[in-house]
Amino acid sequence: LNSVHDYLTSFYEKKKGTLHIGSIFPGFKDYYMEGRGHRSYGSLPEFDGKTFNASMYEAQKYHPTFIQAATWNDWEEGTIFEPREGAFKDRYYFLLRLQQYILGYNNSSEFDVIFETYREKKGADFGWPGTPTLY
């Protein structure tokens, strides 16, 4: 995790006084080899959400001109903010952290409404991994 802080500190220090874009991210683990036979670009573990927290901390500390949430739904790169299943108790873990960072509060019921509305509009195949596709 120290390497995450070191990398971000170095990036932001070099960009001081310039127009630049920082990023907030949960981690990185591409699935290119498994999905397309393309070589992997490596990985950056999530460290139980600590990678995400480190990227938010450094962005708050250095105030980049813009902040990109990298990324919203890159399933192939393992950088998913949208609802997901897995290691975290709350499927909105990263979205709630981002909501807290931006708005100063978090409320999972707001995401439940958004998620259910989206599911209703899209039908059975609404993009959630593991969701059966109806033909």
Side-chain angles (χ1 to χ4, degrees):
L1 191 55
N2 286 336
S3 63
V4 175
H5 281 287
D6 292 346
Y7 172 80
L8 291 170
T9 297
S10 173
F11 170 81
Y12 287 125
E13 285 290 335
K14 291 176 188 172
K15 301 294 182 181
K16 271 187 177 177
T18 67
L19 179 72
H20 64 284
I21 300 173
S23 65
I24 296 173
F25 48 88
F28 181 86
K29 194 229 180 272
D30 70 50
Y31 296 90
Y32 294 138
M33 181 58 74
E34 296 89 336
R36 294 192 250 165
H38 185 279
R39 73 174 180 80
S40 173
Y41 291 105
S43 66
L44 173 60
E46 291 181 353
F47 294 112
D48 296 321
K50 292 182 178 106
T51 299
F52 185 76
N53 294 340
S55 65
M56 285 198 315
Y57 171 82
E58 296 296 338
Q60 283 180 309
K61 181 178 171 184
Y62 286 98
H63 303 285
T65 313
F66 300 98
I67 299 174
Q68 174 194 21
T71 63
W72 179 252
N73 66 350
D74 264 340
W75 296 106
E76 204 171 31
E77 292 182 355
T79 55
I80 304 110
F81 276 81
E82 62 187 9
R84 64 190 192 156
E85 298 169 335
F88 297 99
K89 292 178 186 174
D90 193 323
R91 66 183 178 175
Y92 306 119
Y93 178 82
F94 293 117
L95 290 173
L96 290 169
R97 296 287 299 136
L98 189 59
Q99 186 182 45
Q100 180 71 42
Y101 174 71
I102 294 169
L103 301 176
Y105 73 90
N106 65 55
N107 182 349
S108 64
S109 65
E110 292 177 358
F111 291 112
D112 286 331
V113 170
I114 294 165
F115 182 71
E116 292 308 319
T117 302
Y118 181 74
R119 184 196 319 242
E120 288 171 14
K121 290 186 183 297
K122 292 293 281 185
D125 180 22
F126 60 96
W128 187 278
T131 303
T133 304
L134 299 178
Y135 295 102

